Amino acid sequence: MRVAATAARRGFRTWRDERPFWAGLFTLAAGLPIIYFPYAHLKFGAIPLALSTSAGAGSLIIGVLLVALAISLWFHQQARVFAGIAVILLALVSFPVANFGGLLIGLTSGLIGGSLACAWIPPTAAAESQPAANPASTTIPAGEDHGGT
């Protein structure tokens, strides 16, 4: 049982390292409150708190697009820059449309997720396997002038 759990954890870690995982997670975390709050009937003590607005459809569209972009970040890494820019724009649009961007939870999470998506660089196997060259250890053939005194 423990060996299977260790193998599953290593497999997940490998899967996570090959894609913008945290960008997708923050983007997913941005979409869920934007979808939830306009349709939720919350109670603050005995006081009902209704966040329903006429822009409920806009909140639904923005939230669903953010969830779709989060999934595309996980499974289609080549579109990370497009998805990151789209996430940032949708998060900014959610501020006036979707109850202050899901009570600022969705807005901040979307901005972080979009920024992480734009900044993520895919790992390269060649860069990890080659040691860094030390320029001081290179030999200069005798008799060649390389700008020294």
Side-chain angles (χ1 to χ4, degrees), residues 6 36 61 68-69 71-73 79 83 87 100 126 138:
T6 302
Y36 176 72
I61 291 169
L69 287 169
I71 293 170
S72 74
L73 282 170
V87 167
F100 298 113
T138 58

Side-chain angles (χ1 to χ4, degrees), residues 4-32:
T6 302
R9 188 172 57 244
R10 282 188 186 141
F12 175 72
R13 186 176 300 144
T14 302
W15 180 83
R16 184 188 67 195
D17 289 342
E18 294 173 351
R19 60 201 75 245
F21 176 76
W22 294 108
L25 191 65
F26 274 102
T27 302
L28 184 68
L32 295 178

Side-chain angles (χ1 to χ4, degrees), residues 45-134:
I47 303 169
L49 181 63
L51 296 174
S52 300
T53 63
S54 61
S59 300
L60 182 66
I61 291 169
I62 291 171
V64 168
L65 284 173
L66 285 172
V67 170
L69 287 169
I71 293 170
S72 74
L73 282 170
W74 286 339
F75 296 106
H76 191 63
Q77 300 88 358
Q78 294 81 12
R80 69 186 180 279
V81 175
F82 166 76
I85 292 170
V87 167
I88 291 171
L89 291 176
L90 285 170
L92 290 173
V93 167
S94 75
F95 185 73
V97 171
N99 293 324
F100 298 113
L103 298 179
L104 298 177
I105 298 168
L107 174 70
T108 55
S109 183
L111 291 176
I112 292 170
S115 300
L116 287 173
C118 289
W120 185 80
I121 299 172
T124 57
E128 294 174 1
S129 63
Q130 293 178 347
N134 186 359

